[in-house]
Every structure is written in C-alpha cells, then in structure tokens.
C-alpha cells in the first residue's frame, strides 16, 4: 500500500545561519556533542533528550539545523560517532513523520556524493552513505512510502546495502519499486558473493514474487542449485572464502546456500559436487576451512540420515587430518571452533538420536585408531541421559570388539610409509582402547554430565573388571563376563586400565551426592562427597563388587591374587609381631629363615613402582611413609640395590666397546650408505665375506674372475642364465645381510628403551629414599645412605647424560644435600659406632682431595661435615645459658679422642699448599662457621703456612676463612677451664 507523504520544506542548498535563540542555546548544541562521545549510554541519552527538546520547542530552524548536523555526522572521523548520528537521524525521522524521506535521502546524496568528493574523503563519504541508509531503515518508514525508482537505483549500486533494504521492506514495496531497480544485480547473482547473497535473501523474504518462472527469466533455470549452476556456485564460494580469510568466519551466503539446498531437496548434489568435488579440491587453506565451518553450522539443519552421511565422508576426514597436522606450534587450529559448533548443537538439540549420531560420528574419526577429539571432550555434558547411555554402550562395545573397518580412520604421509600390516593393526587397537578408557573416566570425572548413579557404577565396574580380571565363564551375577573380548588385552592396555582405575577412584571419592528430591532437603545445604543418594560410599560399592569377583574364581580370574595374599600375610605378621612384643622371644630356625614382613612389603612396593602409573607411584609413597618406622637394614638395602650402578657401569663399558660401531651407524637414513662405503673399502664382516666367496664359488664366478685377471682378457665366461642365478644368489645374500644390520639397530633401540625404563624406575625408587630421609632422619640407618647417594652423584656428574639422567642426578643431589646433610634432625646416638664413623670420615675426606671436579668434591665435603655433626652427638641437657658452651667442650673432647682434627688438618694443609686443589675456601669457611672449636686444633697448621707462604695465592687462602672465628677461638681456654671445675665439683 502506497501512502503519499507531505514534504516539509527542508532546504538542502541554503546554509543555516545560527541566529537568535539558536546562537545562544548551548543546551541544544550540547546534544550533538554528546552524540559523538564513545560512551553508548551518553549517546542514547542525548538522542532521547534531543527528540524531547524538538517536540517541546517545535521550532523550524532548530529542526532544520538538526537534520544538517545529523547528516554531516554520518561521515564523522570517529568510529563511535557514526552509529550515534545514524541512530539519531533514524529516531528523529520516526518522531517527525511530516518530514519526507525523499528530502532527507536527497540531502544525504548531495552531502556525501562520491563523484564530487575529494579523493582523501572517499572513505568518509562511503561511510556517510552506508549509515545514511541504515538511518532510513531504522526510521521504520520505508515500507509505508512509495519511492521513486530513479532516485534509489544509483544510490543502492554504490553502497551495496540493498541486502539490508530487502530485509526491511515489505513484499509489496519490493515488487513495485526495488525489483526492477535490482534487475541487473539479481541476474548477475553468480558473479560475486554479494549479488548471490542479495538473490538468496530475496528468495527467503519474497518467495511468491520470485517464483520459478521469474527465476527462469533471470537466471535461465527454475532453481538455484542444479548441476549446471554447481561450477558457478563453487567459484562464488571460493571468492567468499577468500573475503573472510582474516575474519575467520563462515560467510552468510554459504550457509544460505546450504539452507536453500535443503529446501529444494538438492542437499546431496550440493554437498558432493560443490563442497567435496569443488571446495576440497583446492589446496588446504580458506576453501577447506569454509567447508569445515559449514559442516559445523549444518549440524542443527540435517536429519539423522544426513548427519550420518556427512560425518562419514571426506569433509570430516580432511578435518581430522587438519587437527592432527595443526598440533605443531604456530599452526592455525580450527578445532576450538568445531567444539563450539558441536557444543551449541548438543545444547539446543533435544533429540537423543541426533545427539548420539553426532557423538558417534566424531568419536569414529580416528588417526591410526586414536580419535582426533580429546578424551576429555566436554561437549558430552550437554547429552540427554538416553543419548549418554547409548554412547557409553557404544564405547564399551568398541572396547570389547574393536571394529576398525567401521571407523573413519586415516594416516598421515609419514605414518603410511611406516605401516606394517599386523603390527599396525595391533597398535591401532591399543590406541583405540586407550582413548575409550580415558573417555569413560572423563565422563565420571565431569560433574556437569547428566549421568545416573547406575551408569557411573556400570562404567567403574567395567574399568575395574578388565584392569584386574579376565572372564573364564559367563555368569548372570557378573554382567562383565557375559560379553567376551574379540581380541585379548595386552599388557600395555592393562597398564592403561590400571592407571585409569586409580584415577577413577579419586574421581568417585570426590563425586557430589545427587540432589535429593524430598521436601525436607535444604535448598542451600552442602552436599557430601563420595557417597551415593542413599549414603553408601562409592568405594564401598566397588569393594563389594571386588568381593563378588574374588568369591567366584570359576567365572573371573585375577592376576593379582598372589600379591593380595602376600599383602594379607604381611599384615598378619605385623599384627602378630606387635602382639608378641611383650612375650619372650624363642629362636626358631624356620622363622629366622623367613624374611621380615616389612621386607616383603618393600619388595611389593618396588614391583609396583615398575609399572608406569603416577597413581601407583603416589600410593607407594603413602604406604612406605606409614611403614618407615619399621624399616630394617635389609629392607633399606633392597631399596639401595636398585640404584646400584654396577650394572650401569657394565653397560657403559659395553657401549664404549661398541662406540665405533655407533659412530659408523649414525642415523637410520645414512646407515646403509656408510655400510656400502665400508664394504667398498674392504671393511666387511668376515662371516659375510665368507658367505659372499661361497656364493661366487658355487656359480664359478670367482674362477672366471681370477682367469680374467691373469690373462688380461675381457671374455665373459658366464652365460645369461648363469648370470641370472648369480644375481639371485647375491640379492638373497645382501638381503639377509641387510636384515642382520637392521636387527642390530633394533636391538640397540630396544636396549635404549630398556635403559630409559630402568632410569625411570630408579627415579621412582628415589621417592622411597626421600620419604625415609624425611621421616627417619634420626635413625642410624640413614648413615648407610651417604655413600650410595655420593656414588650416584659422582658417576652422574662424570659422564655425559641425557635429560632423564640429569633429572635423576638432580633429584639425588637434592635429597643428599638439602634433605640429608642440612636437616636439623640427625642421628644423635652413635653408641659404639664412633670408630666406624671415624673411618668413614677419613674415607670421605681422602676421596674429596683426590677428585678433580670441585663440584663433586663439594658433595663429599658436605658429607664429611655431616659425619662430624653425627660424631658431635646430642647436646647435654644443661641450662639455656651454659648449653652452647658445654656442647662445644664436649665436642672438643670428642674430637681429641677420635682425632678427626688430624684428618681435617691434613686436608687444610693440602688446600693451602696446592695451587690447583679440588678443595675451596668456601668449604673451610662453612666448616669453621658450623664447628668453630676445630679452629683450635688447626692453628698449628695455619701458623706453619703463614710463615712459609711465599706466594700471593697461599696468603689469600690462609687469611680468608679465619677472621670471623677469632672470638670463638679465644673462648676455647675458658671453656676448658669451666669443664675442669665441673669435674672437681
């Protein structure tokens, strides 16, 4: 319906002169200043106040000035100002309907004319046109006015904002006014993304106007998506992909095309020809990313059959390859966008079947058996309970009966080159099962997942059963025995299951209780953790399930029964030992031959530490800390034997003997070339040489070669058939030699892996040493740790090592120096072991002087100070004032009796007399600070070197450690005199 509007005299050409009230009204002018401010609230308030002011005063000159300022502000240099003036212009036009839209449009054209504007102001003029059209849209009056076609046509072609107009106007206005004006753009829909977008929006808004006959006249076909138009649509989508390369978004025109294909029932044609055979044929880049984004956006629009087809095709396969290749740093990653698409779809979709189809589709996309989506994919929290139940059943089925042919599996180029049939299949099955176990554990760990208690217990039982048991016979009481494994579990898979089970226990211990539906439950009451709705602990339910499994050995068999029996035996013996402590012990030969219970426990802990599980590692530390007070010398020796370096020394000697071979081998790519060069030079294995001579003799080639060498003739003694036989024999011989060479390399790789596992095991065993030092620092057994730890440090620092070796060395050094030597708690009751400690001190100090590396020498010197501290013993129970002095006197006499001062004096003399000594000034400074009494017995050695020192470096060494000890040295005679008085009294 067309309504003729009355045009108010809004003069565009005559300039407005701010005279009279306008010149003096600052309140009115402040409205326009506020429109340009960056604060949105200020701009909205200014628009509201401006309209109220104009309606209240109702002055023609102020209205005329308002339109001038608002049209000028459309091209404002401030980015935040342009929307403010555009919105204000739209609201003023809506409030004053007597003002003609045609006059305002004419004013916009004249003010922001692209033909007459200066070159440097073209950008501002373009913004002025754009925001001017938006202002007319926001006025809400376009659909009620009949606009002259010749006025709009050039304006629309320049601003490219006709899509916004088509979205706003009615079908009647479009048919009467804009259809003829946009005839050229609609007919050229396959030229640019913008023109195609205009056609698609018009089809969505006005299907009755753009009927098939009209489309036939415009485009030459009654439909948009058909076999003839697919190449054109593909080119347009490629242009659209390039246009949003920086924005990294899905162009609207592509999503509209997908919707149109569903409406025209041509989705399969569009997806296969335009996307798969069109966009994906381009090099990886914007075209591929557009296809991946379209896949994510299409999920809510497709049926179940279409979802299954799309999620098992080439688009998602290439998406999986992108995810794998994008793991490298500085690569663009589209996976977060896809996670958002899937999360939004699952959150909005209420159909469990569609949710299940999407989850199974993405979980079936695997790289050599391992799904590309993470095992902790949090989108699972949006699944409906029914969909989650079926998804868990699918996971369990794939674990029990891996069907790789039903997965959408792919391999990278490097992986394809290394594929080897059976081994590759076994590895793929292991990777798939590893992911499934982690997936089940993450579902339990995620508190946002809508899961029932029965489902949680079902998954926990599944992991527990396959981690520790195997089904021998089906039983109705044990559902896990009803379905057997199509492929048995290997040791690696069981290790993953055991590791996941311990993590699962921790997750179940922190599970919040399900919400109570009873009316008596408090709304804000804190829910307990680790219990079910009826108050039963989750772990107790697993214990009951384990009891059922152990009570039915005919149906379920466990490999851990022997270990559990040993543990039970250890517990019984420990309790028996405590009960018999007060009774008189009887010597029984059989009992003496049996090891102590704590020794058995240590052996079990060491065997458990050999498994690659951080949870088992933590459990072992906790258990060992509780049995530390009962650890015997034999148990501690068993721990230290693990870190014995004798075997490592043997391996090191073997490595030295084979060092030349390692150098010749090099890396895998150059090994064969170097071997061929060695063969050409005559450096060949003698056995291989003999085999080669034997082959040549069998074919009479060697005789012919010798005869040719003697007479100098070039005649060939072998015919073609004999040469072929010789070639076959030589090929077989060299092939066998190549296999032997490869076997040697594989053996070296295997040995290296074993060394890595052994070193990792030793690092874990250091946990037990650290726990023992921390909890039993006052035990005499700690003294037995000094030399083993020093041996580790010495051998580790004297050899080149990799990162793992350095970690092991760093850990051992930290335990020795920071937790053993510097501990405030130490053994203070040496008893009759003073002579043994004196020998140890002598041995350590001698070793300190013989070392060539000062850094290693420092550790041995620290050990010597620790032994001196132990020799000092516990301080006597004296008064607070006399405690330190009496302690020094007692320690002084101890030193006199055992003569450790001679050992230290000898070391000091070596330090002062040798220019290059492993001993340092800091070592003796630390010694005198901690044990100032030793200064007395060392004065003679110092005095001797003071008189005989003729070199500067000797004088510096002498005077450096002692100035701070002078007050302490002077106190020694007083301490001795006070001690004599106490003995007399």
């Amino acid at each position: 319906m067309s309504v003729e509007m009355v045009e108010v005299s809004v003069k565009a050409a005559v300039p407005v002169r701010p005279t009279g009230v306008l010149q003096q009204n600052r309140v009115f002018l402040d409205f326009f200043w506020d429109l340009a401010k960056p604060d949105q609230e200020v701009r909205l308030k200014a628009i509201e106040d401006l309209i109220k002011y104009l309606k209240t005063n109702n002055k023609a000159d102020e209205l005329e000035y308002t339109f001038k300022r608002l049209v000028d502000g459309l091209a404002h240099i401030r980015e935040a100002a342009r929307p403010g003036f555009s919105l204000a212009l739209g609201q003023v036009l809506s409030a004053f309907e007597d003002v003609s839209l045609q006059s305002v449009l004419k004013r916009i054209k004249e003010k922001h004319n692209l033909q007459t504007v200066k070159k440097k102001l073209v950008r501002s003029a373009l913004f002025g046109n754009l925001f001017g059209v938006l202002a007319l849209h926001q006025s809400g009056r376009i659909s009620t006015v009949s606009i002259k076609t010749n006025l709009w046509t050039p304006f629309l072609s320049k601003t490219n904002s006709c899509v916004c107009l088509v979205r706003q106007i009615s079908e009647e206005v479009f048919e009467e006014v804009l259809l003829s004006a946009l005839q050229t753009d609609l007919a050229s829909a396959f030229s640019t993304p913008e023109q195609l977008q205009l056609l698609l929006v018009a089809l969505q808004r006005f299907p009755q106007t753009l009927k098939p006959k009209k489309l036939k006249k415009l485009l030459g076909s009654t439909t948009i998506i058909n076999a003839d138009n697919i190449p054109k649509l593909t080119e347009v989508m490629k242009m659209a992909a390039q246009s949003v390369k920086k924005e990294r978004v899905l162009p609207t025109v592509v999503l509209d095309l997908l919707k149109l294909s569903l409406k025209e029932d041509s989705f399969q044609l569009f997806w296969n020809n335009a996307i798969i055979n069109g966009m994906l044929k381009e090099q990886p880049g914007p075209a591929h990313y557009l296809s991946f984004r379209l896949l994510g956006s299409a999920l809510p629009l497709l049926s179940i059959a279409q979802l299954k087809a799309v999620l098992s095709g080439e688009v998602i396969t290439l998406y999986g390859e992108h995810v794998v290749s994008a793991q490298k740093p500085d690569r663009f990653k589209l996976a977060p966008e896809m996670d958002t698409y899937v999360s939004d779809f699952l959150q909005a979709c209420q159909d469990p079947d569609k949710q299940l189809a999407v989850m199974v589709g993405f979980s079936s996309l695997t790289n050599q058996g391992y799904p590309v989506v993470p095992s902790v994919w949090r989108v699972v929290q949006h699944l409906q309970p029914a969909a989650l139940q079926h998804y868990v059943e699918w996971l369990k089925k794939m674990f029990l009966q891996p069907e790789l042919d039903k997965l959408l599996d792919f391999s990278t180029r490097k992986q394809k080159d290394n594929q080897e049939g059976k081994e590759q299949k076994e590895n793929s099955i292991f990777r798939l099962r590893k992911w499934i176990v982690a997936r089940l554990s993450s579902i339990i760990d995620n508190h946002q997942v809508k899961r029932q208690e029965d489902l949680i217990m079902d998954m926990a039982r599944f992991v527990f059963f396959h981690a520790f048991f195997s089904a021998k016979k089906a039983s109705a009481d044990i559902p896990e025995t009803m379905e057997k494994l199509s492929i048995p579990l290997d040791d690696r898979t069981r290790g993953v299951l055991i590791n996941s089970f311990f993590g699962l226990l921790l997750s179940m211990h922190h599970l919040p209780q399900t919400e109570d539906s009873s009316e008596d439950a408090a709304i804000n009451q804190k829910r307990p953790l680790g219990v079910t709705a009826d108050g039963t602990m989750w772990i107790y339910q697993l214990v009951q399930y384990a009891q059922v499994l152990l009570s039915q050995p005919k149906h379920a068999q466990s490999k851990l029964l022997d270990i559990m029996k040993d543990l039970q035996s250890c517990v019984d013996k420990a309790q028996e030992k405590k009960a018999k402590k007060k009774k008189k012990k009887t010597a029984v030969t059989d009992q003496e031959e049996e090891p102590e219970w704590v020794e058995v426990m240590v052996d079990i802990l060491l065997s458990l530490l050999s498994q690659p599980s951080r949870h088992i590692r933590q459990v072992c530390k906790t258990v060992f800390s509780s049995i530390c007070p009962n650890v015997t010398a034999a148990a501690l020796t068993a721990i230290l034997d693990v870190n014995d370096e004798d075997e490592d020394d043997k391996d090191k000697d073997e490595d030295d003997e084979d060092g030349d071979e390692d150098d010749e081998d090099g890396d895998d790519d150059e090994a064969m070339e170097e071997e061929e060069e060695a063969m050409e030079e005559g450096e060949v294995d003698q056995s291989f040489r003999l085999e080669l001579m034997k082959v040549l003799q069998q074919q009479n080639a060697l005789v012919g070669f010798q005869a040719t060498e003697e007479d100098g003739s070039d005649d060939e003694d072998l015919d073609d058939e004999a040469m072929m036989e010789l070639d076959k024999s030589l090929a077989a011989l060299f092939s066998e030699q190549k296999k032997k060479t490869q076997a040697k390399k594989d053996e070296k790789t295997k040995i290296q892996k074993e060394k890595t596992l052994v070193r990792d095991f030793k690092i874990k065993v250091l946990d037990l040493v650290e726990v023992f030092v921390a909890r039993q620092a006052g035990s005499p057994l700690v003294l037995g740790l000094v030399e083993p730890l020093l041996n580790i440090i010495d051998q580790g620092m004297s050899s080149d090592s990799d990162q793992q070796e350095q970690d092991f060395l760093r850990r051992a050094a930290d335990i020795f120096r920071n937790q053993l030597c510097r501990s405030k708690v130490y053994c203070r009751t040496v008893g009759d072991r003073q002579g043994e400690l004196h020998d140890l001190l002598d041995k350590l100090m001698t070793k300190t002087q013989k070392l060539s590396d000062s850094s290693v020498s420092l550790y041995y010197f620290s050990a010597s100070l620790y032994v001196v501290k132990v020799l000092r013993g516990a301080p006597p129970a004296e008064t607070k004032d006399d405690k330190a002095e009496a302690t020094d006197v007692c320690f002084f006499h101890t030193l006199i009796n055992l003569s450790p001062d001679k050992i230290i004096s000898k070391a000091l003399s070596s330090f002062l007399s040798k220019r290059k000594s492993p001993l340092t000034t800091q070592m003796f400074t630390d010694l005198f600070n901690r044990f100032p009494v030793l200064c007395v017995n060392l004065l003679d050695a110092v005095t001797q070197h003071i008189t005989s020192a003729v070199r500067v470096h000797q004088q510096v060494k002498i005077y450096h450690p002692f100035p701070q000890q002078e007050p302490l040295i002077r106190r020694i005679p007083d301490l001795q005199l006070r001690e004599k008085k106490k003995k007399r009294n």
Side-chain angles (χ1 to χ4, degrees), residues 289-302:
Y289 301 150
L290 182 144
S291 303
F292 302 154
R293 293 187 178 102
L294 184 61
L295 170 65
S297 301
L299 296 178
L301 308 174
L302 304 181

Side-chain angles (χ1 to χ4, degrees), residues 811-963:
R811 183 80 185 282
D814 177 72
I815 295 174
F816 174 76
R817 189 168 188 180
N818 297 329
Q819 302 186 41
L820 179 63
C821 295
R822 296 183 179 178
S823 176
K824 295 182 179 179
V825 180
Y826 56 93
C827 178
R828 304 190 180 190
T829 55
V830 294
D832 57 351
R833 299 184 61 183
Q834 292 185 354
E836 179 184 348
L837 292 177
H838 183 269
D839 294 338
L840 178 61
L841 177 62
D842 189 11
K843 181 179 179 181
L844 293 175
M845 194 59 73
T846 303
K847 180 73 173 179
T848 303
Q849 301 175 53
K850 292 182 178 181
L851 293 172
S852 58
D853 189 353
S854 297
S855 58
V856 181
S857 178
L858 178 61
Y859 286 100
Y860 277 86
F861 197 84
S862 299
S864 302
L865 296 186
Y866 175 74
V867 174
V868 172
K869 182 171 64 173
V870 174
L871 283 172
R872 178 180 183 177
E878 297 288 341
T879 61
K880 186 175 180 180
D881 297 336
D882 300 335
K883 185 175 182 180
E885 297 178 357
T887 301
D888 289 338
V889 173
C890 181
F891 180 48
F892 179 79
H893 287 291
T894 301
L895 295 178
I896 295 297
N897 294 331
L898 293 177
S899 301
D901 57 315
K902 296 181 180 179
I903 302 173
I904 300 176
S905 177
K906 182 179 179 181
L908 180 60
S909 300
S910 174
F911 166 69
L912 295 175
S913 60
K914 294 183 180 179
R915 185 179 185 89
K916 294 183 179 180
S917 173
L919 303 176
T920 62
T921 304
Q922 185 60 38
M923 295 179 183
F924 290 97
T925 302
D926 190 17
L927 169 67
F928 298 143
N929 284 332
R930 295 172 62 180
F931 308 110
V933 179
L934 288 176
C935 295
V936 178
N937 298 333
L938 299 178
L939 287 177
D940 294 339
V942 173
T943 304
Q944 178 183 354
H945 283 84
I946 289 177
T947 58
S948 61
V950 295
R951 297 181 181 178
V952 177
H953 75 274
Q954 293 177 336
Q955 296 175 357
V956 172
K957 286 183 177 181
I958 293 170
Y959 288 105
H960 187 274
F962 291 97

